[in-house]
């Protein structure tokens, strides 16, 4: 072990932060680039299912809140791309990896948003699950990622409240609204739980990431925390969690649940979800249709650039 | 629900409110469709400013009218002919050049209008105008910068910008056909025309863009609720939920 590796190990052991200028194992760097870019892509692709209802938001207030929220997601993507850039990859490279399918994003965004209640369910469940994960990541060992998470978590908790507010309006609204709310919960419950990733035993990257403190808590542990927090919220709304086996286990103090449909999970991860193709096509189209804009900006900058001797 | 506006000041203000709302909706269409992330965020910002501006203006209108209607009623329950936005802002996002050209032509006009509203007798209008002018300043700098980049960038960007300008200019003529209401609530309508023409002519000339002669068009006036074909589609999307579920609260 040379002195650089020893210094790195010391940082990890003492719970300090690894900074961009520090030496780090190549695999640590690669793991982070994979995770952070995946996280960034998720924020960006996640703009689409919500954008699907932006133009149809039913009040001036909900329209502005939703637009502000989607804009926040774009901002989160921007911070996270910047974090990844400190590890030695460019935004163009990450974009190319997204388009080629090499880089993934969270599968939850491959589900369609079919009614306005889905704007509630996405904020409440999807952002809710993301917060549980991201709060944990505030303690991640890579400094820029950790600091990015602190900022992102503040905004995400506003997002979750925005979602829950819509759920309250819908669940206590007309019978049709309540039906939409239940339908949204039915469709998003299991996909939201799967956002935490495979069971610990089946998670390819988990153990090394835990050792390096990139990841601080296991998938199953975080998922259980989310379930325990969310079931009472569903009860308050008078909605039924779509799992007959959801029950508070008095001994463990946690909610028991049915096994998940992992075939569907892997199927969606591997590209066969309801909207995988649409989400990527949308992103590619926006990028390619606007190539001329970026070229014009670059050409203009080149013409007007001040030459520094 | 009869949402006909009775008061003259409200009739004048709703033109501005509707113009902000419709342009905000058009810009919201750009969300996740921008040329790159930073620009996507910028367009959302401008859209949010426009929605906020519209909402505040509708509140003032509702107060003047005093008939118990809310801004949401005005937004979601009026038909095409009851909308009074300038036709320019309902034109579609054909490409990024259209988005920018439309914004620029709007911003110069809007900036001068709100400047003149600083002299309004209505203190709420004055307060709103003060806030709005800060926002428009930003939007104006943004759109003008892009006119410059696209006009002087590449051959393709110049051609696209020229095409957008050529098309959109025909919807501008009506803005300057001021009626008695405009003349009552704006301090200098001729000034709006002059400021607009001077800025557009100077900017286009500096950016290698032409201002083509527009033959007089037979087009009915936005002040009477006349539109291009685009408005109906925009409203049918925007108003879908409150129209489909009239008893629901959102």
């Amino acid at each position: 072990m040379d002195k650089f590796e020893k210094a790195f190990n010391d940082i990890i052991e003492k719970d300090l932060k690894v900074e961009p200028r520090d030496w780090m194992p190549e695999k640590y760097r690669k793991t982070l680039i994979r995770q952070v870019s995946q996280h960034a892509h998720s924020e960006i692709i996640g703009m689409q299912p919500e954008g699907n209802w932006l133009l149809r938001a039913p009040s001036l207030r909900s329209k502005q809140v939703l637009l502000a929220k989607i804009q926040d997601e774009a901002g989160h993507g921007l911070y996270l791309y910047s974090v990844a850039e400190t590890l030695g990859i460019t935004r163009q490279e990450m974009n190319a990896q997204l388009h080629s399918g090499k880089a993934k994003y969270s599968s939850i965004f491959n589900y369609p948003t079919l009614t306005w209640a889905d704007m509630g369910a996405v904020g409440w469940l999807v952002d809710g699950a993301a917060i549980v994960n991201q709060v944990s990541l505030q303690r991640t060992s890579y400094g820029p990622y950790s600091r990015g998470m602190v900022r992102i978590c503040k905004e995400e908790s506003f997002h979750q409240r925005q979602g829950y507010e819509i759920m309250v309006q819908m669940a206590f609204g007309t019978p049709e609204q309540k039906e939409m709310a239940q339908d949204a919960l039915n469709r998003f419950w299991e996909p939201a739980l799967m956002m935490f990733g495979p069971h610990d035993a089946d998670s390819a990257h988990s153990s090394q990431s835990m050792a390096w403190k990139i990841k601080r808590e296991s998938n199953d542990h975080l998922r259980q925390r989310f379930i325990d927090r969310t079931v009472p919220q569903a009860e308050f709304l008078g909605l039924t969690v779509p799992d007959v086996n959801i029950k508070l286990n008095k001994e463990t103090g946690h909610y028991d649940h049915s096994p998940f449909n992992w075939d569907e999970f892997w199927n969606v991860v591997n590209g066969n979800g309801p909207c995988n193709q649409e989400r990527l096509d949308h992103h590619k189209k926006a990028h390619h249709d606007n190539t001329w804009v970026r070229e014009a900006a670059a050409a203009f900058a080149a013409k007007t650039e001040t030459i520094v001797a | 629900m009869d949402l006909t506006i009775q008061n003259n000041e409200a009739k004048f203000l709703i033109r501005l409110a509707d113009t902000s709302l419709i342009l905000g909706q058009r810009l919201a269409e750009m969300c996740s469709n921008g040329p790159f992330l930073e620009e996507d965020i910028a367009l959302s910002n401008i859209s949010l400013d426009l929605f906020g501006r519209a909402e505040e203006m509708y509140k003032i209108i509702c107060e003047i009218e005093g008939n118990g209607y809310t801004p949401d009623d005005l937004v979601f329950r009026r038909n095409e002919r009851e909308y009074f936005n300038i036709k320019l802002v309902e034109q579609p996002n054909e490409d990024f050049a259209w988005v920018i050209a439309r914004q620029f032509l709007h911003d110069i006009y809007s900036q001068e209008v709100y400047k003149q509203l600083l002299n309004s007798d209505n203190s709420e209008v004055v307060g709103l105008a003060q806030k709005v002018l800060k926002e428009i300043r930003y939007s104006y700098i943004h759109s003008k910068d892009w006119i410059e980049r696209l006009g002087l960038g590449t051959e393709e960007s110049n051609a696209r910008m020229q095409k957008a300008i050529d098309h959109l200019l025909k919807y501008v003529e009506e803005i300057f056909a001021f009626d008695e209401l405009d003349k009552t609530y704006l301090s200098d309508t001729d000034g709006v025309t002059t400021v607009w023409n001077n800025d557009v002519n100077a900017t286009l000339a500096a950016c290698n863009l032409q201002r083509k002669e527009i033959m007089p068009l037979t087009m009915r006036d936005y002040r009477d609720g006349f539109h291009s074909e685009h408005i109906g589609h925009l409203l049918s999307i925007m108003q879908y939920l409150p129209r489909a579920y009239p008893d629901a609260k959102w």
Side-chain angles (χ1 to χ4, degrees), chain A residues 44 47-48 51 53-65 67-71 73-79 81 91 115-117 169-170 173-174 176-177 180 282-283 285-287 289-301 303-304, chain B residues 21 24-26 28-38 40-42 44-48 51-55 58 71-72 75-76 95-97 145-146 148-150 152-154 156-157 160-161 234 237-242 244-245 247-250:
Chain A
I44 300 306
M47 295 166 72
Q48 293 179 37
W53 281 91
L54 177 57
L55 302 174
R56 290 176 290 176
S59 69
L60 272 170
R61 181 173 189 275
S62 64
K63 188 189 285 291
Q64 292 173 76
V65 171
L67 179 52
K69 183 189 172 200
I70 300 173
Q71 189 195 31
E73 314 285 6
H76 297 173
L78 202 53
Y79 307 156
Y81 284 128
R91 197 150 17 129
T115 74
W116 174 251
Q169 277 173 350
M170 301 295 281
T174 64
E176 285 155 317
Q177 284 177 300
M180 281 187 231
H282 178 121
H283 195 272
K285 184 174 188 317
H287 187 73
D289 285 358
N290 287 299
T291 302
W292 69 273
V293 179
R294 296 187 300 275
E295 284 172 357
F300 179 77
K303 283 177 199 170
T304 52
Chain B
L21 175 79
Q25 181 79 357
R26 275 286 182 242
E29 291 173 17
M30 292 302 294
C31 183
S32 85
N33 292 303
F36 49 91
L37 204 42
E38 288 84 344
D40 207 292
I41 292 171
S44 290
N45 247 352
I46 299 169
S47 174
L48 279 167
F51 285 135
R53 187 177 309 166
E55 186 173 19
Y58 288 128
D72 278 341
V75 171
F76 294 97
D95 65 13
F96 187 68
D145 275 357
W146 271 115
E148 201 179 355
R149 276 186 214 117
L150 299 181
L152 301 174
T154 62
E156 181 181 5
S157 69
R160 283 178 183 262
M161 182 48 82
L234 186 151
I237 292 172
M238 185 172 77
Q239 299 179 335
Y240 152 67
L241 279 171
Y245 302 95
D247 300 328
K249 292 203 167 33
W250 308 95

Side-chain angles (χ1 to χ4, degrees), chain A residues 12-29:
Chain A
I12 300 295
E13 197 187 328
K14 289 180 185 153
D15 255 341
L16 300 172
K17 298 297 177 205
V18 179
E19 295 298 335
R21 64 182 178 279
D22 293 335
W23 182 90
M24 61 189 86
E26 205 40 39
K27 193 151 175 276
Y28 177 89
R29 182 187 300 278

Side-chain angles (χ1 to χ4, degrees), chain B residues 62-77:
Chain B
C62 288
E63 209 166 291
I64 294 173
E65 289 285 298
N67 51 18
Y69 295 141
T70 64
D72 278 341
D73 292 330
L74 291 174
V75 171
F76 294 97
R77 314 267 176 180

